[in-house]
Amino acid sequence: MAFWLMKSEPHVYPWEQLVSDGETHWDGVRNYQARNIMRDDMKVGDFVLFYHSNCKPPHVAGVARVCREAYPDFTALDTDSNYFDPKSSPDNPRWMMVDIEAVEQLPDTVPLGDMRENPELNGMPLLQRGQRLSVQPVSEQHFETVCGMGGLDPSSL
DNA sequence: GCCAACGTTGGC
DNA sequence: GCCAACGTTGGC
């Protein structure tokens, strides 16, 4: 069992949309490091902190779970998609995605500033300078701390 | 809107 | 394989 954090801009795909969809395919990741994490490391049942970036304030909104392991990101093959990549092909798909499902909304969203101020989160990748990865690892301890800050008992998951 | 940090591209 | 130029991310 591993723990992850995934970023989404709320005006692109908000947490509320995941709740209403139930589950979704995480298309559009075009960064090799993030792809490798999805392809090699994310397993069904892993928990995911759903993070809203590029908003005021940035915050963790809810807990999701991986419900399908990596498979080709078909938007890379779709010429009509903003995520189209001419270097990807059906025989040799360059980009991968996983599916995630909503698990629990945090009773209180957890703002980035609060996370920075919490010494229990020291070393969390999200808080490192210049961190831009849209899919990143979270330790179990940090995962539980963030849940707690959001008013969610992680042992209830 | 600014800009620091980082990733990618492409000429050489 | 180096590295300058450029594009993107994302907090502030």
Side-chain angles (χ1 to χ4, degrees), chain A residues 3 16 19 24 37 53 73 78 85 92 94-95 118 135 149 152:
Chain A
F3 301 85
E16 293 74 16
V19 171
T24 195
I37 289 173
S53 64
D73 181 343
D78 177 1
D85 180 356
N92 189 14
R94 171 172 300 224
W95 303 110
N118 189 336
V135 180
M149 291 170 76
L152 177 68

Side-chain angles (χ1 to χ4, degrees), chain A residues 13-79:
Chain A
Y13 191 88
W15 163 257
E16 293 74 16
Q17 188 71 44
L18 182 63
V19 171
S20 87
D21 290 345
E23 64 176 65
T24 195
H25 49 267
W26 204 253
D27 61 291
V29 171
R30 295 293 179 267
N31 170 284
Y32 290 105
Q33 208 178 338
R35 179 204 63 183
N36 293 348
I37 289 173
M38 291 197 293
R39 186 189 60 192
D40 303 333
D41 301 327
M42 295 183 84
K43 305 300 178 193
V44 168
D46 285 355
F47 285 110
V48 175
L49 295 174
F50 194 105
Y51 176 82
H52 280 156
S53 64
N54 242 321
C55 57
K56 293 181 184 178
H59 60 275
V60 177
V63 175
R65 186 195 286 128
V66 177
C67 60
R68 180 177 172 186
E69 277 162 34
Y71 59 106
D73 181 343
F74 53 78
T75 64
L77 306 170
D78 177 1
T79 51

Side-chain angles (χ1 to χ4, degrees), chain A residues 13 25 49 76 79 89 91 94 96 107 112 116 133:
Chain A
Y13 191 88
H25 49 267
L49 295 174
T79 51
S89 69
D91 288 343
R94 171 172 300 224
M96 308 289 280
L112 181 61
R116 288 197 190 287
L133 257 194

Side-chain angles (χ1 to χ4, degrees), chain A residues 61-153:
Chain A
V63 175
R65 186 195 286 128
V66 177
C67 60
R68 180 177 172 186
E69 277 162 34
Y71 59 106
D73 181 343
F74 53 78
T75 64
L77 306 170
D78 177 1
T79 51
D80 292 333
S81 171
N82 288 335
Y83 298 127
F84 174 68
D85 180 356
K87 294 173 185 162
S88 194
S89 69
D91 288 343
N92 189 14
R94 171 172 300 224
W95 303 110
M96 308 289 280
M97 61 188 176
V98 298
D99 288 357
I100 64 171
E101 60 187 354
V103 177
E104 285 289 340
Q105 181 158 325
L106 292 177
D108 309 300
T109 62
V110 181
L112 181 61
D114 288 7
M115 289 193 276
R116 288 197 190 287
E117 288 173 4
N118 189 336
E120 288 180 36
L121 296 180
N122 283 350
M124 187 177 181
L126 179 72
L127 308 181
Q128 304 311 303
R129 178 180 183 80
Q131 180 53 264
R132 300 190 311 174
L133 257 194
S134 62
V135 180
Q136 45 180 271
V138 177
S139 72
E140 179 166 13
Q141 192 176 12
H142 290 164
F143 176 83
E144 292 179 352
T145 297
V146 172
C147 288
M149 291 170 76
L152 177 68
D153 177 4

